[in-house]
Amino acid sequence: MHDVAALAGVSITTVSHVINETRSVAPATRQRVLDAIDATGYTGNAIARSLVTGGTKSLGVAMPVMANPYFAELIHAIESEASASGYTVVLGDTLDEAETSRVTVRTLHARRVDGVLLTPSPGDSDALEALARAGIPTVLVDRISHKTKLDQVGPENIQSTSALVSHLAGLGHQRIGFISGADWITANEERTLGYRLGLGRAGLRFDSSLVASGGASAESATLALRRLLAMDPRPTAVVTGNCTMTAGVIKEARAHGLRIGVDLAVVGHDETEWSELVDPPLTTMAHPVEDIGRRAVQLLVSRIKDPERAPEICHLAPVLVHRQSCGCHP
């Protein structure tokens, strides 16, 4: 910092204010400092700074990174908002497993992150309790739980699933199957409720045999659709709980020689880059992934600044993206 200050012709204090953004500095002076930083190759010591300030300006993110393409997009939104707020992101892949999630949370704590964004895994109560004991500001992302008093943000699931069912019923389908995700995820409970709500609004009777668990994976969804197609009469339309299960459904339907959108209508949650590339393009309920990521970071930064404020739960509404897998013409 001495070298940067001498090269820029300013005080060490001014260099500190430019680096840490702790006080407004005249644009011309700030640019001289930045040029001097570039010329000297100076980088601050984040560890030393954290010992002085008590914070690292970093946020931990614990999510099942590889479980679903949805999370890659979510992480990108989180990193963008965190950067805009002056934070870096430390990412840990939970693999959607409770033990890995606990290890990931402990590792993030050891890295002295200022807060954690967590997508809960099955049996994740220990990880949540560890965060609470450590007093680490925490926000649950995507998978909302009504059993904990934490800030949370995720998609709205009941009305959006009801809308998918209503759309299929409006096309004349009376036997509409539902392939749900893992039972322990609150979102899947809500989507099952939305499925039943959509049937009721369409004047259709709920039949539990038309509901099959896809376990949130393509393989499980394949087996779930296989069971539904063995029924007599079989469903003429299917609603899926996420894009991974949709892929499994498409694969199994084609293995049975069924044409998507003709012999079997398929709609589902999650919008991915391949949703409009398959034939026919998929009708989906697109979750506001960028908004969820941004809002999660905003809630966490607010919690870091004000640990005593009341927790918030934010449900953000998805949008129906209408294509041809439901059987509608372009």
Side-chain angles (χ1 to χ4, degrees):
M1 290 180 70
H2 279 281
D3 294 339
V4 170
L7 188 59
V10 298
S11 67
I12 294 176
T13 301
T14 298
V15 174
S16 176
H17 286 313
V18 170
I19 293 171
N20 298 305
E21 298 182 348
T22 49
R23 194 186 70 186
S24 178
V25 176
T29 303
R30 182 174 185 276
Q31 189 57 53
R32 289 206 312 275
V33 172
L34 294 177
D35 290 342
I37 289 173
D38 288 340
T40 59
Y42 169 79
T43 57
N45 189 323
I47 296 175
R49 188 181 301 119
S50 72
L51 295 174
V52 175
T53 64
T56 59
K57 297 297 287 185
S58 63
L59 305 179
V61 176
M63 291 181 178
V65 179
M66 303 302 293
N68 188 319
Y70 169 90
F71 287 105
E73 187 178 352
L74 180 59
I75 291 166
H76 177 73
I78 287 171
E79 286 185 320
S80 177
E81 183 66 23
S83 177
S85 301
Y87 288 83
T88 57
V89 167
V90 181
L91 177 62
D93 188 354
T94 65
L95 304 178
D96 227 3
E97 299 172 352
E99 179 57 32
T100 306
S101 184
R102 286 192 289 270
V103 172
T104 299
V105 166
R106 286 198 298 268
T107 301
L108 292 174
H109 185 200
R111 293 289 297 269
R112 297 173 57 89
V113 295
D114 297 334
V116 171
L117 298 168
L118 172 66
T119 297
S121 301
D124 231 359
S125 57
D126 288 349
L128 293 176
E129 290 174 5
L131 288 166
R133 286 195 302 270
I136 301 175
T138 303
V139 174
L140 300 188
V141 186
D142 184 65
R143 297 172 181 169
I144 289 177
S145 170
H146 300 294
K147 300 177 182 179
T148 183
K149 294 181 179 179
L150 291 172
D151 292 307
Q152 305 179 58
V153 58
E156 190 285 323
N157 295 298
I158 299 175
Q159 298 299 332
S160 57
T161 307
S162 174
L164 288 172
V165 175
S166 296
H167 179 65
L168 293 171
L171 295 174
H173 295 283
Q174 296 189 11
R175 289 186 63 76
I176 302 171
F178 178 56
I179 298 181
S180 66
D183 295 336
W184 61 270
I185 299 178
T186 302
N188 293 318
E189 296 176 1
E190 293 175 343
R191 288 171 192 168
T192 301
L193 179 59
Y195 166 73
R196 299 188 65 162
L197 179 63
L199 291 175
R201 286 173 171 171
L204 299 176
R205 183 176 61 87
F206 171 72
D207 181 351
S208 61
S209 66
L210 287 171
V211 178
S213 175
S217 71
E219 294 76 13
S220 296
T222 295
L223 297 176
L225 181 63
R226 190 176 302 170
R227 181 180 74 75
L228 293 179
L229 293 179
M231 298 176 66
D232 186 19
R234 66 168 178 81
T236 60
V238 172
V239 178
T240 66
N242 68 31
C243 62
T244 304
M245 290 189 289
T246 302
V249 164
I250 292 173
K251 179 181 178 181
E252 184 64 15
R254 288 176 175 167
H256 281 75
L258 300 178
R259 295 166 295 172
I260 303 298
V262 178
D263 304 313
L264 181 69
V266 176
V267 301
H269 283 270
D270 291 351
E271 173 73 2
T272 68
E273 60 181 11
W274 54 265
S275 295
E276 60 181 346
L277 300 179
V278 296
D279 184 23
L282 297 175
T283 293
T284 64
M285 191 58 72
H287 294 178
V289 184
E290 289 192 12
D291 291 340
I292 290 172
R294 283 197 297 267
R295 186 63 183 136
V297 173
Q298 291 165 2
L299 284 175
L300 186 54
V301 172
S302 295
R303 174 63 56 192
I304 292 169
K305 294 179 179 178
D306 183 9
E308 302 303 320
R309 68 173 182 78
E312 295 182 44
I313 298 180
C314 301
H315 292 89
L316 303 182
V319 176
L320 179 64
V321 180
H322 188 200
R323 299 192 182 96
Q324 288 80 59
S325 67
C326 55
C328 294
H329 294 295

